[in-house]
């Protein structure tokens, strides 16, 4: 048995060393190297725009920014990348967008602001049709999921406050779990393939870099009010964007929607309504924004019954908004909202100026 | 606690240390406590009441049978215990099927539907109920001696490696392992660990990765038509085979580490030349259970014996088979029903295979003569190959029912086989829609490697050779490199779900 | 009845059930040795043996015979 134990322990040690070592060194989401989040939050709080770090835990970043806020913004914008790039018409507006937002991220971000007692006078929700596929705790950003759950429980009287909830803890059990995680290991390997080993062993990405020319520079940037800029380096031409759209349409698989969209999940939509009404009951104005689809993509929805849910969901949202006196900006239908092919940065996102006009549209 | 998770491995690792450290008389206690913990972590602990009721009823009944063989009271106790246990299984698992079926008709006649119930079924109830019934009947028939200690019967019933997918064990074999004085055997433990590791590779690399593609294709049957439908079904069969046999490797491997030997559930099923032979090689313990505890008692019952005699009288030699086919029908309908609470299983896992077997049996004389006329030899390579392809095809059709959402979806998907073949669109959709989520070219390579290796192992098994022996013959340093390579292949390309913490991308 | 007589009678039963006059069974004979003796015919054979000898097997025995020899032992103990 001794021979066996020695071999077994040796094997386990070898495997764990490799896995944990790679996870710690590469750390693709900066879980163990989160200094960049605090540095970035510092710089932005001092009014300095920065180049978008690229690999960071966006949920934690939002909380780090909120933790440094001295006063509540007048307007808070929540949603996915569709809302991040817009120069809003509001004064004192904070853009708290999260990549690939779902309902759970609305609950989470709202929870963070509420926990720090920095609730705004107005909340703008940028709504994508697929957002209610998962529930109030099904956000894409797991690090602030506890805020989502706490928000829901407070709304339902199961909890009194946010004490004990934080994504900015030092060493947590979840972090320890993650260092041994095989799925995190796979992410690390993917990250090495994408960026090369030197990127991670060097110092470069652990720092926040000030942006010299956020509006017209080459790199994507983050501005002090949370708004992002695209950066000219990765912009497409109207022709390339049109071709991109065509390829995606022909694949029969539209990003985030999948092969079909016949309607939303009514249970989760109800959770969203509860969130809106909770905000309104506290005297906070709620606004909806429906970002337009690329024209060819929206036309494809019209021709294909599998995607009939997109327009029917818009009507459902508008009906609810009317019943609650909620303003609805934009429209999924680009023809209605006046968005053309040339207004798009890529086949999914409007460029900043056009998005601003898109946001100004009210039916 | 998924069996492919780190927490399960830690659970098993700690248990093994405790198990082998303790003296013999405490060893089975470790297994019992483990099984209870496993049960409690995988389901609502309150559902432990169901196996508890089963165990108590059967333990009491088997003790009652002692000294009362062939008496009327024993028979009554048997029937009551069977009704209780089968009743629990039926109620917990099949109530919604019953309600939805009745609801289908009430909707047609009165427009009203009946809502389904939300009861919590017990973990593994389909497996342990059959297992404990086999013990009950074995005691009743005098094949097995009643166990006096109810805790031992409890361990037999909820022994944790069995809870997820079986195998369904007989008492004599399982108890021999559970309660015997197992000594630490280096060779057996290392063999078992290697088998477990291979099981993880099969499940995490092949089955879980393929399931992504299979799910994608099954979700759009109107898009993936013609040969795409057959490909989707074939991929599902591969997924199912690697998932099920992977789970078996893990179950038998982990149990083997404790020195508890479990029966095999698979014997290279895709070498079967007929559907009947297939089901003697696939999920063998279920087939054996149905044969010995359902089919034989049914056929030997006075009603069926009389029916056989009558049929022979009126319809001659061929007629003698009719009761056999009827008993088979009962068995196959139960086989279908056992797989799940839906008519699609009854049809696709049950009726379909019964039909194929019976249609193969009825003209057996004609087939014999035809083969003689055409000079076809049973063991000719082409004839065997034809049998294998034909059998695999029939099985694949049955599995469309298994994976489709419901009966209607299954028939619809089968109808899609006859539609045109969108070659380019299909490839494009797969490439854009699911290839990244599947994992890309390295994952594909890993899947291919494990698939090819398993095929080689299956060929070796079929020829009576043991792949583990062949591996053991490799020089130690090379062998250890291979072990590490397999472990890292699983870690690099296995499907571990999204990291719970992190999301990337736009 | 002696063991030889029993086996003579068993031969008759087997030949009748499987419709083959060439079958001869002995202690070591198993289902693998007789072409048509599969799970579907097993009970027919059992019932025929029971009828021929006027005895009854219980299900435990039916499921667990390893060869014809075991069957013969049980028959001998019952008649």
């Amino acid at each position: 048995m001794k021979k066996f134990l020695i071999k077994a322990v040796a094997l386990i040690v070898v495997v764990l060393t490799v896995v944990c070592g790679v996870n710690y060194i590469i750390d693709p989401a900066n879980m163990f190297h989160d200094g960049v989040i605090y540095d970035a939050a510092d710089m932005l709080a001092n009014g300095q725009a920065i180049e978008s770090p690229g690999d960071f835990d966006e949920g934690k970043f939002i909380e780090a920014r909120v933790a440094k806020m001295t006063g509540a913004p007048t307007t808070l914008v929540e949603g996915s990348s569709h809302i991040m790039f817009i120069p809003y018409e509001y004064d004192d507006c904070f853009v708290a967008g999260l990549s690939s937002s779902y309902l759970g991220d609305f609950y989470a971000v709202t929870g963070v602001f509420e926990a720090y007692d920095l609730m705004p006078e107005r909340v703008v929700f940028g709504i994508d049709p697929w957002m209610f596929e998962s529930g109030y705790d099904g956000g894409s950003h797991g690090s602030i999921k506890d805020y989502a759950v706490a928000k829901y429980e407070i709304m339902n009287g199961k909890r009194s406050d946010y004490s004990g909830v934080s994504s900015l803890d030092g060493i947590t059990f979840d972090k320890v779990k993650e260092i041994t995680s095989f799925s995190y290991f796979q992410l690390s390997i993917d990250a090495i393939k994408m960026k090369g080993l030197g990127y991670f062993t060097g110092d470069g990405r652990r720092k926040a870099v000030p942006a010299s020319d956020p509006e017209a520079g080459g790199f994507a940037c983050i501005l002090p009010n949370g708004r992002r800029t695209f950066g000219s380096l990765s912009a497409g031409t109207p022709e390339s964007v049109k071709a991109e759209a065509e390829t995606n349409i022909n694949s029969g698989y539209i990003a985030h929607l999948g092969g079909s969209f016949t309607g939303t999940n009514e249970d989760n939509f109800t959770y969203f309504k509860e969130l809106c009404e909770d905000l309104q009951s506290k005297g906070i104005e709620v606004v909806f924004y429906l970002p337009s689809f690329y024209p060819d993509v929206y036309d494809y929805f019209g021709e294909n019954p599998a995607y009939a849910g997109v327009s029917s969901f818009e009507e459902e949202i508008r009906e609810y908004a009317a019943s609650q006196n909620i303003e609805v900006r934009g429209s999924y239908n680009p023809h209605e909202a006046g968005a053309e092919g040339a207004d798009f940065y890529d086949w999914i996102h409007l460029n900043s100026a056009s998005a601003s006009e898109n946001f100004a549209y009210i039916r | 606690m998924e069996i492919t998770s780190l927490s399960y491995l830690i659970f098993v690792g700690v248990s093994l240390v405790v198990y082998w450290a303790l003296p013999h008389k405490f060893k089975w206690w470790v297994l019992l406590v483990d099984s209870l913990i496993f049960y409690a972590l995988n389901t609502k602990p309150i559902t432990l009441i169901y196996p508890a009721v089963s165990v108590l009823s059967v333990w009491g009944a088997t003790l009652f049978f002692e000294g009362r063989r062939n008496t009327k009271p024993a028979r009554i106790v048997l029937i009551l215990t069977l009704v209780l246990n089968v009743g629990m299984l039926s109620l917990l698992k099949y109530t919604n099927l019953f309600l939805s079926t009745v609801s289908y008709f009430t909707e047609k006649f009165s427009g009203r539907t009946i809502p389904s119930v939300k009861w919590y079924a017990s973990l593994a109830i389909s497996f342990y109920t059959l297992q404990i019934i086999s013990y009950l009947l074995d005691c009743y028939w005098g094949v097995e001696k009643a166990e006096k200690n109810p805790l031992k019967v409890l361990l037999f019933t909820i022994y944790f490696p069995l809870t997820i997918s079986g195998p369904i064990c007989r008492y004599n074999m399982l108890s021999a392992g559970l309660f015997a004085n197992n000594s630490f055997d280096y060779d057996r433990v290392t063999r078992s660990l290697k088998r477990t590791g291979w099981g993880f590779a099969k499940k995490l690399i092949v089955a879980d990765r393929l399931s992504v593609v299979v799910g994608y294709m099954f979700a759009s049957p109107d898009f993936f038509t013609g040969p795409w439908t057959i490909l989707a079904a074939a991929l599902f069969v591969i997924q199912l085979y690697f998932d099920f046999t992977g789970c078996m490797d893990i179950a038998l491997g982990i149990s083997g580490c404790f020195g508890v030997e479990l029966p095999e559930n698979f014997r290279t099923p895709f070498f079967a030349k007929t559907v009947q032979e297939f089901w003697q090689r696939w999920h063998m313990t279920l087939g054996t259970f149905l044969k010995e505890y359902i089919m034989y008692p049914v056929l030997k019952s006075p009603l069926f014996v009389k029916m056989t005699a009558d049929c022979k009288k009126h319809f001659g030699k061929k007629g003698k088979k009719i009761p056999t086919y009827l008993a088979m029908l009962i068995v196959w309908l139960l086989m279908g029903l056992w797989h799940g609470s839906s008519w699609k299983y009854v049809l696709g896992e049950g009726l379909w295979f019964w039909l194929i077997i019976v249609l193969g049996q009825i003209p057996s004389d004609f087939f014999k003569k035809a083969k003689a006329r055409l000079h076809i030899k049973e063991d000719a390579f082409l004839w065997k190959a034809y049998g294998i392809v034909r059998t695999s095809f029939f099985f694949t059709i049955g599995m469309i029912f298994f994976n489709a959402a419901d009966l209607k979806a299954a028939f619809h998907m089968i109808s899609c086989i006859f539609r045109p073949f969108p070659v380019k669109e299909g490839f494009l959709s797969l490439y854009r829609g699911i290839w990244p989520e599947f994992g890309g070219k390295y994952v594909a390579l890993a899947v291919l490697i494990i698939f090819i290796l398993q095929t080689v192992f299956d060929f070796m098994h079929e020829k009576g050779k043991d792949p583990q022996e062949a591996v053991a013959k490799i020089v130690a340093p090379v062998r250890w490199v291979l072990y590490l390579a397999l472990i890292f292949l699983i870690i690099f390309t296995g499907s571990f779900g999204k990291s719970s913490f992190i999301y990337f991308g736009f | 009845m002696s063991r030889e007589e029993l086996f003579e009678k068993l031969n008759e039963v087997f030949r009748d059930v499987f419709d083959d006059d060439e079958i001869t069974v002995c202690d070591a004979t198993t289902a693998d040795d007789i072409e048509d003796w599969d799970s579907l015919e097993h009970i027919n054979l059992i019932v025929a043996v029971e009828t021929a000898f006027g005895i009854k097997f219980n299900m435990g025995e039916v499921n667990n015979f390893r060869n014809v020899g075991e069957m013969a032992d049980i028959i001998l103990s019952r008649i």
Side-chain angles (χ1 to χ4, degrees):
Chain A
M1 206 190 298
K2 203 162 91 171
K3 171 167 88 153
F4 171 77
L5 277 174
I6 294 174
K7 287 190 185 173
V9 169
L11 191 61
I12 293 175
V13 164
V14 165
V15 172
L16 277 182
T17 307
V18 173
V19 172
C20 297
V22 167
N23 280 348
Y24 183 78
I25 295 174
I26 305 301
D27 194 18
N30 282 318
M31 279 185 70
F32 310 106
H33 300 91
D34 53 9
V36 65
I37 288 180
Y38 301 105
D39 290 344
D42 265 337
M43 285 186 175
L44 289 162
N46 289 329
Q48 167 68 56
I50 58 167
E51 287 179 8
S52 185
D55 307 316
F56 63 107
D57 184 332
E58 292 183 46
K60 243 162 92 165
F61 181 62
I62 296 264
E63 183 172 357
R65 296 224 53 198
V66 173
K68 292 209 176 303
M69 276 181 190
T70 45
T74 311
T75 304
L76 169 63
V77 185
E78 298 182 23
S80 69
S81 53
H82 285 120
I83 58 91
M84 285 183 196
F85 299 88
I86 304 175
Y88 290 93
E89 67 205 44
Y90 308 109
D91 288 333
D92 187 25
C93 173
F94 187 82
V95 182
L98 290 169
S99 305
S100 211
S101 265
Y102 279 74
L103 171 66
D105 300 296
F106 285 158
Y107 266 84
V109 172
T110 311
V112 171
F113 274 84
E114 197 169 70
Y116 283 81
D117 201 18
L118 291 169
M119 287 303 277
E121 290 169 22
R122 175 191 297 115
V123 175
V124 178
F125 287 118
I127 303 172
D128 299 311
W130 55 83
M131 263 174 165
F132 308 129
E133 296 292 290
S134 27
Y136 64 85
D137 61 350
S140 299
H141 299 269
S143 48
I144 47 173
K145 183 169 101 165
D146 286 347
Y147 278 104
V149 174
K151 171 83 190 122
Y152 180 77
E153 288 177 352
I154 292 174
M155 274 165 60
N156 288 281
K158 290 194 204 150
R159 197 192 170 114
S160 54
D161 56 33
Y162 291 91
S163 54
V165 182
S166 173
S167 73
L168 302 179
D169 286 338
I171 307 291
T172 59
F173 177 65
D174 282 325
K175 261 197 191 173
V176 173
K177 249 174 57 175
E178 210 62 26
I179 206 175
T180 56
S181 155
F182 294 152
S183 50
Y184 198 58
F185 181 83
Q186 290 181 354
L187 284 173
S188 300
I189 300 298
D190 283 342
I192 297 178
K193 276 193 257 171
M194 274 201 288
K195 301 224 162 87
L197 194 54
Y199 180 83
F200 296 98
T201 49
D203 233 358
R205 65 157 185 161
R206 315 283 190 200
K207 292 203 183 97
V209 178
S212 43
D213 191 358
E215 294 290 357
F219 293 102
C221 295
I222 305 180
L223 304 180
N225 78 338
R227 183 190 136 213
R228 314 281 190 102
T229 61
F230 281 111
S232 57
L233 278 181
S234 42
T237 63
E239 293 76 31
S240 70
V241 171
K242 192 172 170 76
E244 214 188 335
E246 199 179 313
T247 314
N248 279 285
I249 292 170
N250 289 337
S251 77
Y253 183 90
I254 305 295
H256 286 115
L257 284 174
S260 65
F261 183 77
T262 50
T264 194
N265 179 310
E266 291 300 327
D267 289 336
N268 295 332
F269 191 27
T270 305
Y271 289 135
F272 177 63
K273 292 178 188 168
E274 286 171 10
L275 180 65
C276 294
E277 285 157 35
D278 176 73
L279 293 172
Q280 287 183 313
S281 72
K282 296 182 168 120
I284 298 173
E285 184 192 338
V286 175
V287 175
F288 291 163
Y289 169 48
L290 309 178
S292 294
F293 282 91
Y294 187 81
D296 292 354
V297 174
Y298 193 78
D299 293 339
Y300 174 65
F301 293 161
E303 297 156 17
N304 190 340
Y307 293 98
V310 176
S311 55
S312 66
F313 177 65
E314 174 160 357
E315 295 316 308
E316 211 181 327
I317 281 269
R318 288 188 182 276
E319 216 179 284
Y320 172 68
S323 74
Q324 294 289 120
N325 273 324
I326 294 176
E327 192 178 81
V328 181
R329 303 295 199 101
S331 164
Y332 292 144
N333 185 344
H335 309 300
E336 185 186 326
E340 293 168 357
D343 297 328
F344 280 80
Y345 171 81
D346 61 24
W347 77 288
I348 298 182
H349 302 92
L350 284 157
N351 61 40
S352 294
S354 308
S356 202
E357 281 173 33
N358 198 242
F359 186 77
Y361 169 75
I362 303 181
R363 183 190 273 185
Chain B
M1 210 202 317
E2 292 253 0
I3 59 168
T4 47
S5 68
L6 193 64
S7 12
Y8 182 67
L9 282 178
I10 294 176
F11 169 75
V12 170
V14 170
S15 313
L16 277 171
V17 170
V18 175
Y19 182 82
W20 289 114
L22 288 176
H24 161 54
K25 74 174 168 192
F26 294 116
K27 283 191 158 63
W28 71 271
W29 283 98
V30 175
L31 296 177
L32 179 60
V33 168
D34 269 355
S35 303
L36 288 167
I37 293 176
F38 186 79
Y39 221 87
L41 287 177
N42 273 297
T43 178
K44 280 177 151 0
I46 187 93
T47 60
L48 263 166
I49 201 168
Y50 301 124
V53 168
S54 282
V55 167
L56 276 173
S57 63
V58 169
W59 167 74
T62 53
L63 285 177
F64 185 81
F65 295 154
E66 294 285 303
R68 293 191 184 84
R69 301 272 318 280
N70 293 321
T71 64
K72 192 145 181 219
R75 206 181 149 73
I76 294 178
V77 165
L78 173 72
I79 293 179
L80 287 175
T81 316
L82 278 174
V83 166
L84 173 67
N85 282 284
V86 176
M88 267 197 296
L89 173 65
S90 308
L91 217 58
L92 286 170
K93 199 171 164 186
Y94 299 108
T95 305
N96 277 331
L97 177 62
F98 174 71
L99 289 176
S100 69
T101 309
V102 173
S103 180
Y104 176 80
F105 290 107
T106 61
E107 196 180 5
K108 285 215 176 313
F109 292 125
S110 70
R112 299 230 320 257
T113 56
I114 303 177
S116 52
V117 295
K118 281 188 167 74
W119 295 342
Y120 290 108
S122 175
L123 182 70
I125 193 172
S126 306
F127 289 99
Y128 77 66
T129 304
L130 296 195
Q131 188 156 297
I132 209 173
I133 286 178
S134 83
Y135 172 63
L136 176 73
L137 286 169
D138 279 347
C139 285
Y140 181 75
W141 291 330
V143 174
E144 198 59 57
K145 198 162 159 13
E147 170 54 57
K148 291 198 172 60
N149 186 341
L151 290 175
K152 286 193 173 175
V153 182
L154 179 64
L155 175 57
F156 167 73
T157 308
I158 63 167
Y159 179 48
F160 73 91
L162 304 176
T163 42
I164 302 299
S165 339
I168 299 167
C169 304
R170 298 282 286 273
Y171 190 79
N172 58 8
M173 181 181 194
L174 187 52
S175 59
L178 290 173
F179 309 119
N181 188 4
N182 296 315
S183 57
F184 186 90
D185 183 319
Y186 179 84
D187 283 327
R188 186 179 52 202
V189 173
T190 51
R191 257 187 88 94
S192 303
L193 280 174
K194 286 183 231 175
R195 184 168 188 175
T196 311
W198 186 246
F200 279 119
K202 279 156 75 173
K203 181 145 166 59
L204 289 168
I205 297 180
V206 181
D208 288 352
R209 288 292 187 185
L210 277 183
S211 75
V212 165
V213 181
V214 169
Y216 184 72
M217 292 177 85
F218 268 74
S220 310
D222 293 297
F223 185 86
F224 292 103
T225 54
W228 286 123
T229 312
I230 301 182
L231 178 67
L235 286 176
F236 175 66
V237 168
I238 297 175
Q239 174 199 328
L240 185 64
Y241 179 58
F242 277 75
D243 195 303
F244 207 166
T245 57
C247 283
M248 285 302 104
D249 285 336
I250 295 172
L252 269 69
I254 286 185
S255 190
C257 291
F258 290 96
V260 181
E261 204 186 318
L262 298 177
E264 294 290 339
N265 228 355
F266 290 89
R267 183 168 55 95
T268 57
F270 292 99
F271 284 90
K273 298 179 274 310
T274 65
V275 168
Q276 186 167 354
E277 189 190 345
F278 187 90
W279 286 96
Q280 289 163 349
R281 290 168 172 259
W282 174 286
H283 208 168
M284 297 193 288
T285 58
L286 178 63
T288 309
F289 176 88
L290 289 169
K291 179 180 80 173
E292 293 188 5
Y293 298 98
I294 310 274
M295 187 158 99
Y296 283 174
V298 164
L299 277 176
K300 205 168 170 297
S301 66
L303 170 67
F304 269 75
V305 170
K306 183 165 186 314
M307 211 192 299
T308 311
D310 287 345
C311 285
K312 187 169 175 184
K313 203 171 7 160
H314 290 119
F315 305 114
K317 264 200 72 227
K318 277 284 131 179
K320 198 173 76 161
K321 285 274 192 178
I322 295 176
T324 309
Y325 298 149
L326 191 59
M328 272 174 64
L329 180 61
I330 295 172
V331 162
W332 276 105
L333 289 176
L334 285 175
M335 165 76 97
L337 204 59
W338 182 90
H339 276 89
S341 180
S342 164
W343 291 116
K344 66 169 181 158
Y345 292 115
V346 178
L347 206 75
E349 305 310 297
L351 205 58
W352 166 246
F353 292 120
W354 173 81
L355 204 62
I356 303 282
I357 294 176
V358 166
L359 287 178
Q361 287 273 324
I362 292 179
S364 57
D365 285 340
F366 169 74
F367 286 148
K368 243 196 203 154
K369 290 196 195 109
K371 273 188 259 189
R373 277 276 187 84
L374 297 167
H375 300 292
I376 294 175
K377 294 218 310 240
E378 286 290 326
D379 51 6
F381 175 76
L382 276 177
W383 180 252
K384 283 201 276 193
Y386 161 67
I388 288 173
V389 170
R390 183 188 68 208
T391 305
S392 302
F393 174 73
F394 286 139
F395 181 70
T396 306
I397 299 291
M399 292 304 109
I400 291 182
F401 286 85
F402 195 104
N403 202 37
D406 52 34
L407 205 55
K408 202 164 123 182
F411 279 120
H412 176 71
M413 190 160 172
I414 292 179
S415 76
C416 291
I417 297 178
F418 304 104
R419 297 216 209 144
F421 182 29
V423 187
K424 198 170 126 203
E425 294 85 338
F427 272 112
L428 210 57
S429 177
L430 285 172
Y431 183 64
R432 289 217 61 107
I434 209 68
W435 180 248
E437 201 182 324
F438 166 73
K441 58 182 188 239
Y442 293 109
V443 167
L445 189 62
V447 168
L448 204 60
I449 291 174
I450 304 296
F451 179 81
I452 291 176
L453 279 174
Q454 179 62 40
T455 309
V456 168
F457 294 158
D458 279 352
F459 268 93
M460 290 175 78
H461 278 304
E462 183 67 6
K463 302 273 178 257
K465 294 202 265 242
D466 183 5
Q468 284 233 33
E469 254 180 60
V471 168
K473 289 204 181 96
I474 304 176
V475 206
V478 178
R479 223 182 335 119
W480 276 92
V481 167
L482 286 174
Y483 295 157
L484 280 169
L486 182 68
I487 292 176
F488 280 109
L489 189 67
I490 296 173
I491 294 177
F492 269 80
T493 62
S495 173
F496 293 102
K498 283 211 157 63
S499 180
S500 57
F501 240 58
I502 312 298
Y503 178 79
F504 280 103
F506 236 30
Chain C
M1 184 182 266
S2 76
R3 211 173 170 88
E4 282 104 33
E5 286 170 331
L6 186 143
F7 268 91
E8 265 176 43
K9 199 158 176 186
L10 268 180
N11 280 335
E12 273 174 40
V13 174
F14 271 76
R15 286 170 190 160
D16 181 48
V17 168
F18 297 113
D19 207 21
D20 180 355
D21 289 326
E22 317 239 329
I23 293 181
T24 313
V25 298
C26 63
D27 278 305
T29 310
T30 68
D32 294 335
D33 300 318
I34 297 182
E35 200 192 323
D36 286 325
W37 186 2
D38 60 15
S39 43
L40 297 183
E41 282 298 329
H42 186 66
I43 300 295
N44 287 334
L45 174 67
I46 296 291
V47 171
V49 170
E50 287 179 339
T51 317
F53 290 94
I55 57 143
K56 280 244 171 289
F57 295 113
N58 75 20
M59 282 313 307
E61 290 154 352
V62 169
N63 286 335
N64 293 298
F65 288 132
R66 268 188 290 236
N67 52 38
V68 177
E70 287 190 7
M71 195 194 288
D73 293 338
I74 297 186
I75 301 172
L76 273 175
S77 71
R78 298 250 161 99
I79 48 172

